[in-house]
Amino acid sequence: MKFQNGAIMKQMLAMLLLVAAMLSCNSAGKQSAENETKPAGLMMKEPTEAEQREIKADVMARVAEIYSLVEAAYRSTADMGPDVDIDREFCTRSWCDLRDKVLEKQRRTEYLCLDMDYWVMGQDVDRFYADSFEFVGFDEADKGRVIVSLKVHNMDSETPVELELVRSDGEWRIDNFKDLKYDIDFRVMMEDYMEEDLDANSERQ
């Protein structure tokens, strides 16, 4: 009788351990899925003053590095533009995926959205460089998203620009460009373009 009770207890314990393991795996899988779909840059708590100073220094160094490399890429190919996808190097996957969808739709419908280069703020490139980098602050709705202002010089023209950056793939990456001179929000512009039913218009033509 004692042997039977002991065997039953062992079976019950094994079943409990199996159930606990299944619950743990389910919880871990759910948490992993949440992390994958969590918007880039989202930070729920306000950074401390020390964290803000560290973030500011890190972001400003990163933006200066990005534009130094971008300027070099444009100089190396004269007016033809870089021979590498600089968006993939310095922008978020979310930005690149949206841009790729826009470019594909442009090819399919022949309706333009991106008729200028947001890196140089123009259609052509000559004597391009960026300066006057300033840390504007943290996004009010998302403290993990930061805003940096700068001036882009190209073709004897100066354009004030704002960048939105988030932490992505372990580093600060650009998630949006804004042309303050002509009030162009490039992410909003591309999102609006993707919502337009241009395929039907193209077929009618």
Side-chain angles (χ1 to χ4, degrees), residues 79-98:
D79 61 349
M80 296 179 61
D83 55 3
V84 295
D85 188 346
I86 55 177
D87 285 38
R88 290 286 172 192
E89 294 292 326
F90 306 121
C91 298
T92 63
R93 281 179 287 179
S94 170
W95 171 270
C96 293
D97 289 346
L98 177 59

Side-chain angles (χ1 to χ4, degrees), residues 42-61:
L42 192 62
M43 184 184 295
M44 301 306 294
K45 67 174 185 176
E46 182 87 20
T48 64
E49 288 188 11
E51 288 173 336
Q52 289 185 29
R53 287 194 297 270
E54 184 177 347
I55 289 172
K56 178 179 178 180
D58 192 18
V59 167
M60 296 309 294

Side-chain angles (χ1 to χ4, degrees), residues 27-38:
S27 175
K30 183 178 179 181
Q31 184 65 41
S32 177
E34 288 175 353
N35 289 340
E36 289 174 2
T37 57
K38 194 174 184 180

Side-chain angles (χ1 to χ4, degrees), residues 79-156:
D79 61 349
M80 296 179 61
D83 55 3
V84 295
D85 188 346
I86 55 177
D87 285 38
R88 290 286 172 192
E89 294 292 326
F90 306 121
C91 298
T92 63
R93 281 179 287 179
S94 170
W95 171 270
C96 293
D97 289 346
L98 177 59
R99 179 212 58 175
D100 289 347
K101 290 176 182 177
V102 166
L103 294 178
E104 192 279 328
K105 188 172 183 177
Q106 286 185 161
R107 287 191 293 269
R108 190 177 69 248
T109 65
E110 297 184 355
Y111 282 85
L112 287 179
C113 171
L114 295 174
D115 59 350
M116 64 181 290
D117 186 340
Y118 38 78
W119 286 102
V120 303
M121 293 298 163
Q123 294 179 327
D124 300 310
V125 186
D126 186 35
R127 299 183 299 280
F128 157 64
Y129 68 96
D131 62 11
S132 303
F133 302 103
E134 290 187 17
F135 186 86
V136 177
F138 294 84
D139 187 282
E140 292 184 3
D142 179 2
K143 299 304 180 183
R145 182 178 294 269
V146 298
I147 301 169
V148 171
S149 68
L150 62 144
K151 291 180 180 178
V152 169
H153 303 264
N154 180 39
M155 302 287 292
D156 295 322

